[in-house]
Amino acid sequence: MPFEYYFFLGVTFILGTVIGSFLNVCIYRIPAGLSIVSPRSRCPHCETPIHWYHNIPILSWVLLKGKCAYCNAEVPVRYLLVEALTGFLFALFFFRFAFHSVTPVVLLLVAALVVITFIDLDHQIIPDVISLPGIPVGFLCSFFVPWVSWQSSLLGIVLGGGSLLIIALGYEFLTKKEGMGFGDVKLLAMLGAFLGWTAIFPIIFIGSLLGSLVGVPLMLIKKADSKLAVPFGPFLSAGALIYLFFVQHLDPIMRWYASMLQQLWLSFW
Ligand SMILES: [Zn+2]
């Protein structure tokens, strides 16, 4: 690998941590209905505006030992985690797609999914302000992603939103309670817009698998009732990123799967 490759891998990681720092603001402010651009970040404890040199991703948290520089109030380790995770994911997908035209689209999707994941973990909601505009943005991006045609993107929106809507309504009909939020429906429609219709079932499959691996032990420990106690958004997001990372390795399987569905569809007519 040439030197420039490693240089840009490092740059992408640092860019990811800077974006991650901004995502922390989004995660905190979007559910509260606050502006994500102003005012400048403040310590929630002593309300002192945070200087740029106390706001360097990862480094500041480590150097200040997770404390506010003015009042010594604790800064949750979550802030560090989100910055490091975003940096890691940015580097991982640069490693995967390098200078391909798809990389900016992928990084945009990664940033959106990080925000969605942590807001869903905190509040059990998926913010409409991200998932709804994400649908047309994903559709527009399909013109730059060689393996997702605009037709596939459009079908992905319908299939992604539609399939979860049916599951959600079916669950409600059978159990008379709400198991899956409609936020998940809009999230999967957004993922369908970005990744195309062939991604929908792999994402649901990987997401459900991860969800049951984590959710079932959690339910046993907490002795929760049969209502879904664990938000599904983080697992759908993880499913989408895993799918995206392996998408080209999945290519032969996906082509077989697409042609099989196509034949099934044609046999109806
Ligand atoms: Zn403070």
Side-chain angles (χ1 to χ4, degrees):
M1 282 290 175
F3 165 76
E4 301 93 88
Y5 178 80
Y6 292 103
F7 174 75
F8 280 105
L9 191 65
V11 168
T12 316
F13 175 78
I14 294 168
L15 176 73
T17 62
V18 174
I19 301 280
S21 180
F22 171 66
L23 299 185
N24 270 321
V25 176
C26 297
I27 292 164
Y28 180 76
R29 291 191 186 176
I30 288 175
L34 301 169
S35 160
I36 53 170
V37 281
S38 69
R40 257 176 51 206
S41 293
R42 291 160 187 275
C43 164
H45 189 71
C46 65
E47 307 220 314
T48 315
I50 299 169
H51 275 291
W52 67 267
Y53 51 81
H54 287 143
N55 209 3
I56 300 165
I58 301 179
L59 279 183
S60 290
W61 194 94
V62 173
L63 291 176
L64 295 168
K65 299 189 180 73
K67 290 194 166 93
C68 168
Y70 307 98
C71 70
N72 268 339
E74 227 167 284
V75 182
V77 71
R78 250 275 297 272
Y79 285 83
L80 174 77
L81 267 176
V82 169
E83 289 165 357
L85 176 71
T86 312
F88 167 76
L89 288 173
F90 269 43
L92 185 75
F93 281 99
F94 180 80
F95 165 77
R96 177 70 185 79
F97 294 110
F99 299 104
H100 197 287
S101 63
V102 79
T103 304
V105 176
V106 170
L107 299 186
L108 182 71
L109 182 63
V110 166
L113 292 180
V114 168
V115 174
I116 285 174
T117 291
F118 283 93
I119 291 180
D120 201 10
L121 285 175
D122 285 350
H123 304 278
Q124 283 76 52
I125 51 156
I126 292 172
D128 281 349
V129 289
I130 295 178
S131 59
L132 288 182
I135 296 171
V137 169
F139 176 69
L140 286 177
C141 285
S142 73
F143 292 92
F144 303 94
V145 182
W147 70 82
V148 181
S149 63
W150 66 265
Q151 293 94 335
S152 173
S153 171
L154 211 57
L155 192 56
I157 297 168
V158 176
L159 203 64
S163 54
L164 270 199
L165 192 65
I166 289 169
I167 295 173
L169 291 176
Y171 184 91
E172 258 190 74
F173 178 75
L174 290 173
T175 62
K176 308 280 178 235
K177 49 190 170 184
E178 199 180 313
M180 189 184 298
F182 290 99
D184 295 317
V185 173
K186 289 169 253 179
L187 171 60
L188 200 59
M190 178 188 109
L191 292 173
F194 271 97
L195 302 174
W197 73 273
T198 44
I200 296 300
F201 290 109
I203 291 172
I204 296 180
F205 178 75
I206 303 169
S208 310
L209 194 69
L210 291 174
S212 49
L213 284 177
V214 178
V216 170
L218 261 183
M219 278 184 199
L220 291 177
I221 294 166
K222 287 169 123 183
K223 294 212 172 66
D225 60 338
S226 63
K227 185 178 164 21
L228 294 175
V230 192
F232 197 32
F235 298 107
L236 282 178
S237 303
L241 294 183
I242 292 170
Y243 169 82
L244 189 55
F245 192 81
F246 292 108
V247 64
Q248 274 154 350
H249 302 282
L250 293 171
D251 217 30
I253 305 172
M254 296 316 294
R255 246 178 293 149
W256 170 81
Y257 162 71
S259 72
M260 196 190 64
L261 283 185
Q262 207 167 12
Q263 275 171 14
L264 202 69
W265 174 254
L266 288 175
S267 68
F268 275 113
W269 303 93

